[in-house]
Amino acid sequence: MYHHVKKLMFTVRVDEPDPRFGNMLLEQFGGANGELAAAMQYSIQGLNCEDPDRKDLLMDIGTEELSHLEVVGCLARMHLAPSKNDRQAAEADPLIAIAGGVNLFNSQGNPWTADYLKITGELDVDLRSNIAAEARAKIVYERLINFCDDVGSKDALQFLMTREITHMKAFARALESLSKPAFSIGRIAPTPGLVNQYFNDSTGSGDHGEIDTRGPWNEGEDWVFTESPALQSSDPGAAPSIVTESSPLVDESGLTELLLHELRDILHAEKQLTKALPKMAQAARFDQLRELFEQHLAETENQVERISECFELLGETARAKPCKGMMGLIEEGQEVMKEGEEKEDAAADLALISAAQRVEHYEMSGYTTARNLAQQLRHSAIVALLSKSLAEEENADLLLNQVARSLMSVAKMPAALEQAE
């Protein structure tokens, strides 16, 4: 919820309007690095953020950027005021003069666009984008200050420029607080060897160009300085200059055995679940929940077939290993069903959903681990099979959430009806 307080965060004062400078200010109003872009970028990142602490940060700063938009807009309007009445002043920005005032355009009259926004839904990546955005905005304000002679305008610009540094510090601290390695982006690991190769693709000396330079960006630590592939020998038998490992690795670290262990565990878990789901469907009181369990039973049977296919791809027998975790969860589910016999319909089904979601989350963790191991071993076909099953488990969890929300509304209805009476 937003509330407009009719007082500027910084009181704007313009002593000598300058339409040409007002036109420059529009860059921070409706431009690529302007306040509207910042406000929208941070706010929408906040809407997508699952981390409540960093979401609060994003929404706080996104809201402040909206106030900065008003400050810049007021400042631009004051500088552009002569454009409405004076022909010479109007020539500094005909669009403003004819259209009647400030609008969401940059200094060249190009309309604002959502293409300016950098939003990925990955918190650490978005925070890095925000740090860069604040750095760019700081430089823009610095240049505006250098082009301005009006004291009041300089004061306002100095205030806005300073807040960009404040925001940069906040985003940087938030990124540090995630405690993620600097180059750990996303979930899929880069190719070992290739990730540390630096390609010397701008080679030259003397009359042929500038000399090659070396520094911490291409030497030391784990860097492998590699001559440009374009200059490598094409002789048969020459060592390849680029590491291009795309086939399964020769496993010397026991990861294959660990993957087999996980697959055997999941296989037993899924087989147990094919026996438990019909009982859960029978225990469900509401049709929507019963149908969901029956649908997931069909998915689970397909998942058993996929795991068997994974064993075939690894040249192993599809042999299950007792999964004590799933055995415990199913036993707990049986207790929930027994206790549910004494409960109201909505309460009984909500307890059943709780037990089912524990199962889903257990399976999701198993599939995630197995998929990541297969990814590291470059078994792309197995990764695809496990990813499909993982997506089904995640979708089942979401559907259970939807049913639970509906049942919670049903559970509240009798109390609401009694109050109405």
Side-chain angles (χ1 to χ4, degrees), residues 263 266-272 274 296-314 316-320 363 367 381-382 384-386 388-389 392-393:
L263 290 174
I266 295 171
L267 180 59
H268 189 260
E270 295 290 24
K271 285 184 174 180
Q272 288 185 82
T274 58
H296 196 49
L297 173 60
E299 289 178 337
T300 303
E301 290 168 346
N302 289 332
Q303 289 165 6
V304 170
E305 293 179 7
R306 287 190 205 113
I307 297 168
S308 298
E309 190 174 342
C310 289
F311 280 108
E312 290 178 15
L313 291 167
L314 291 168
E316 298 284 340
T317 303
R319 177 168 51 85
E363 290 186 301
Y367 275 115
I382 295 175
L385 290 168
L386 295 175
K388 187 170 184 179
S389 295
E392 289 174 349
E393 304 295 4

Side-chain angles (χ1 to χ4, degrees), residues 159-282:
F159 169 81
L160 293 167
M161 182 189 74
T162 300
R163 293 305 295 169
E164 306 300 341
I165 298 298
T166 305
H167 296 167
M168 193 191 308
K169 287 171 60 179
F171 288 136
R173 294 293 184 268
L175 179 61
E176 291 170 10
S177 70
L178 295 176
S179 300
K180 290 190 67 175
F183 304 110
S184 174
I185 307 297
R187 294 167 181 77
I188 299 175
T191 303
L194 178 62
V195 70
N196 295 324
Q197 279 193 293
Y198 180 90
F199 295 151
N200 183 27
D201 282 330
S202 56
T203 303
S205 61
D207 293 338
H208 300 288
E210 298 177 358
I211 61 172
D212 296 331
T213 58
R214 304 296 294 274
W217 54 88
N218 64 12
E219 69 177 352
E221 296 183 352
D222 48 7
W223 281 119
V224 177
F225 191 80
T226 307
E227 288 301 331
S228 170
L231 303 181
Q232 294 299 306
S233 170
S234 59
D235 296 337
S241 57
I242 303 177
V243 176
T244 53
E245 299 170 343
S246 56
S247 57
L249 292 172
V250 176
D251 180 24
E252 298 178 352
S253 58
L255 291 184
T256 299
E257 188 58 39
L258 183 57
L259 174 58
L260 288 168
H261 173 88
E262 291 292 332
L263 290 174
R264 291 184 179 117
D265 190 83
I266 295 171
L267 180 59
H268 189 260
E270 295 290 24
K271 285 184 174 180
Q272 288 185 82
L273 198 54
T274 58
K275 298 174 183 176
L277 278 168
K279 298 176 184 177
M280 297 172 77
Q282 187 176 2

